[in-house]
Amino acid sequence: MAQCAAAAATSGDVNGDGKTKRKVAIITGITGQDGSYLAEFLLAKGMRRVILVFCNVLTVTRLNTEIDLGNAAHDDITIPYPTVQCVWQISFDLAEYTADVDGVGTLRLLDAVKTCGLTDTVRFYQASTSELYGKVQEIPQKETTPFYPRSPYGAAKLYAYWIVVNFREAYNLFAVNGILFNHESPRRGSNFVTRKISRSVAKIHLGQLQCFSLGNLDSKRDWGHAKDYVEAMWLMLQQEEPIDFVIATGEVHSVREFVEKAFKHVGKTIVWEGKNEEEVGRCQETGEIHVKVDPKYYRPTEVDFLQGDSSKALKIIGWKPRVTFEELVKEMVDADIELMRNNPNA
């Protein structure tokens, strides 16, 4: 999935009460969890107008308009905007499209800022990613860790990262990269492994499903909550100077552990049997197999371990995560139980 969210705001800072004085924000990738949470966050901060760009549609939402961003429902002004597209699924089969959206797409936005003569008034945030580190060269990964992307998506985001740096240095544009490690929520797309787990566990709990398949159970990630990470985006844009930051919890958990925590929340204990592609997760209480391993979910080039060091963000912008890993898993499972109970085919 593309992390194509970017925010650009007009000049101004914040009022003494913490409310923003910026008049307009533009957010791309609004159908994703980050875009929707960011829009809500900015409106709560006093942003007068938020322009939301998603799937060839440009939506303008005015202050105090009641919106349900979690369901991408907006009832204000909607205008066709054919030059902007979202990516719903990223894979090696979509490598060229990935490069165009996640790499060159960032260049188009930056070039538009320059062409319109807005380099002195716009503040630009680029949604960078821990996938830049790929085959990790250092543990934990921080701002100075060498990049080694292991997918077309990671390579495209590497171009986006460096084109932001280039425009910042060449045109004195306030442009920053937020190198965000994995962050999840009940709004996460169903094609992401965490949401696949929470939805499947919810279905099993409700008797709608017996078993589901995953890829590499031992892949380890630094997982946080999207709401916390959206706050970090905003904080980065409030600084006097543009600075790139790693945003992460500093904790690492495996896919296997996510599965175990999710099932534990619904009263099931998963025990693992077998090895490699023959491994299964069996419910200790009922004896039923609920998890299988399917090689089709393996990556062509695996990213095995990501762990971020956000000490720079803590020191300079005062950011730190609030939601724990266990709280995140519980929230996602509870939300999907409610969703599947009301709409089993969702």
Side-chain angles (χ1 to χ4, degrees), residues 26-282:
I26 300 174
I27 304 172
T28 66
I30 189 59
T31 53
Q33 63 170 2
D34 290 11
S36 64
Y37 281 127
L38 181 58
E40 291 175 346
F41 184 91
L42 292 176
L43 289 171
K45 284 290 183 181
M47 185 71 67
R48 290 177 56 187
R49 189 169 61 165
V50 178
I51 300 175
L52 312 174
V53 180
F54 64 107
C55 293
N56 295 327
V57 176
L58 181 111
T59 300
V60 181
T61 301
R62 296 192 184 91
L63 182 65
N64 295 328
T65 299
E66 293 186 1
I67 53 177
D68 181 2
L69 290 166
N71 295 319
H74 313 281
D75 54 8
D76 200 5
I77 303 171
T78 302
I79 307 169
Y81 195 74
T83 61
V84 179
Q85 298 180 339
C86 294
V87 177
W88 284 97
Q89 182 177 354
I90 293 302
S91 73
F92 282 76
D93 296 330
L94 296 173
E96 183 178 352
Y97 186 49
T98 302
D100 188 43
V101 173
D102 290 301
V104 182
T106 301
L107 171 62
R108 293 188 184 106
L109 291 172
L110 289 166
D111 195 52
V113 171
K114 180 176 75 72
T115 301
C116 293
L118 299 174
T119 54
D120 293 333
T121 56
V122 164
R123 293 196 168 196
F124 187 95
Y125 171 85
Q126 198 272 131
S128 196
T129 170
S130 58
E131 290 290 323
L132 293 179
Y133 299 114
K135 187 176 180 180
V136 298
Q137 305 297 295
E138 178 182 34
I139 297 175
Q141 296 88 55
K142 51 183 180 289
E143 290 81 3
T144 56
T145 301
F147 298 136
Y148 198 138
R150 297 270 281 174
S151 67
Y153 172 68
K157 296 300 281 188
L158 181 62
Y159 176 85
Y161 175 93
W162 282 116
I163 202 65
V164 165
V165 173
N166 272 259
F167 267 69
R168 181 169 69 211
E169 295 178 350
Y171 305 110
N172 199 31
L173 171 66
F174 191 108
V176 295
N177 293 290
I179 308 175
L180 274 57
F181 279 63
N182 292 68
H183 46 289
E184 319 297 319
S185 76
R187 298 182 187 177
R188 195 52 142 153
S190 59
N191 57 321
F192 286 86
V193 65
T194 51
R195 189 71 192 285
K196 180 178 181 179
I197 293 170
S198 64
R199 286 166 68 99
S200 299
V201 169
K203 283 179 172 286
I204 290 171
H205 175 66
L206 295 172
Q208 301 169 357
L209 182 72
Q210 181 176 348
C211 184
F212 65 100
S213 298
L214 295 171
N216 183 4
L217 294 171
D218 295 315
S219 179
K220 295 179 174 62
R221 293 291 186 270
D222 184 325
W223 276 305
H225 197 294
K227 280 189 174 181
D228 288 344
Y229 287 53
V230 161
E231 181 184 18
M233 299 177 191
W234 180 77
L235 286 170
M236 291 174 65
L237 291 171
Q238 308 312 306
Q239 304 308 301
E240 292 186 4
E241 300 293 332
I243 304 173
D244 301 328
F245 289 99
V246 163
I247 303 298
T249 69
E251 294 184 8
V252 174
H253 301 276
S254 66
V255 173
R256 185 188 304 273
E257 187 177 353
F258 200 105
V259 170
E260 293 168 352
K261 292 285 187 184
F263 274 110
K264 182 180 179 181
H265 184 53
V266 297
K268 289 180 176 288
T269 304
I270 293 297
V271 292
W272 303 98
E273 302 172 359
K275 293 183 178 180
N276 301 322
E277 297 174 9
E278 303 301 319
E279 187 171 13
V280 298
R282 188 184 300 274

Side-chain angles (χ1 to χ4, degrees), residues 300-333:
T301 49
E302 185 60 73
V303 176
D304 294 313
F305 188 98
L306 292 174
Q307 180 182 20
D309 177 359
S310 59
S311 56
K312 180 180 175 181
L314 174 61
K315 180 179 179 181
I316 297 178
I317 64 177
W319 180 87
K320 62 180 179 180
R322 296 186 178 91
V323 181
T324 68
F325 175 71
E326 188 164 339
E327 289 170 343
L328 171 64
V329 175
K330 288 180 178 179
E331 181 183 342
M332 292 181 69
V333 172

